Amino acid sequence: MVVTRRLNVQTKGASDIIDITPDVQREVQAAGLKAGTATVFVQHTTAAVTVIEHEPGLLLDTRALWERLVPGDTPYKHNVHDDNGHAHLRAALQGPSLVVPFVDGKLALGRWQRIVLLDFDTRPRSRELVVQVMGE
């Protein structure tokens, strides 16, 4: 069986990192399946999804890493049209989706793992995510 749901998440932009684990877990439980996979996909080109420990120091380290890898103050060609060339590149490198298995209706995440949405854009946004739950 496949169940497709949508999440809407408000972000602050500027490399905002939001823990969406409870939202994804809620969708897995609502699907009523015991075992399978949950795919989380963000429908935007300046946002990404990953797994990380959602700890304040590591969140700061993650933001600093992205600033070193893809600086926000570099004159990107895309910035002729908009101010978020770096956001598109960061999102492309991180990726728009994640697949997490679930067992007995619970996400099979490690002790410190959290599913997070990273919003690299330059301003607050309303982000839409697709959560597709497949299993039995």
Side-chain angles (χ1 to χ4, degrees):
M1 173 182 261
V2 177
V3 178
T4 304
R5 306 286 298 237
R6 295 187 182 278
L7 297 175
N8 191 282
V9 179
Q10 293 300 129
T11 71
K12 298 175 187 170
S15 295
D16 196 10
I17 303 172
I18 300 169
D19 183 355
I20 59 171
T21 309
D23 302 306
V24 176
Q25 180 60 57
R26 190 170 34 255
E27 297 305 331
V28 167
Q29 287 176 325
L33 303 174
K34 283 195 67 143
T37 58
T39 301
V40 182
F41 177 82
V42 61
Q43 294 184 297
H44 303 276
T45 60
T46 57
V49 178
T50 194
V51 171
I52 193 171
E53 181 178 348
H54 197 266
E55 178 273 321
L58 189 55
L59 298 180
L60 291 172
D61 292 339
T62 300
R63 288 182 185 100
L65 171 70
W66 280 114
E67 192 56 37
R68 286 191 309 273
L69 291 174
V70 186
D73 59 359
T74 297
Y76 299 99
K77 302 293 185 203
H78 176 76
N79 289 0
V80 170
H81 306 286
D82 206 344
D83 65 349
N84 62 358
H86 69 287
H88 289 281
L89 296 173
R90 290 175 184 182
L93 286 172
Q94 184 66 66
S97 66
L98 177 72
V99 178
V100 179
F102 62 91
V103 179
D104 294 326
K106 276 192 73 176
L107 293 168
L109 295 168
R111 180 176 183 178
W112 303 111
Q113 289 181 311
R114 305 299 287 180
I115 302 169
V116 297
L117 170 67
L118 298 96
D119 187 348
F120 298 117
D121 214 335
T122 57
R123 56 191 172 276
R125 296 282 191 177
S126 177
R127 299 301 192 170
E128 185 139 339
L129 295 100
V130 175
V131 179
Q132 191 165 67
V133 182
M134 297 184 288
E136 54 187 19

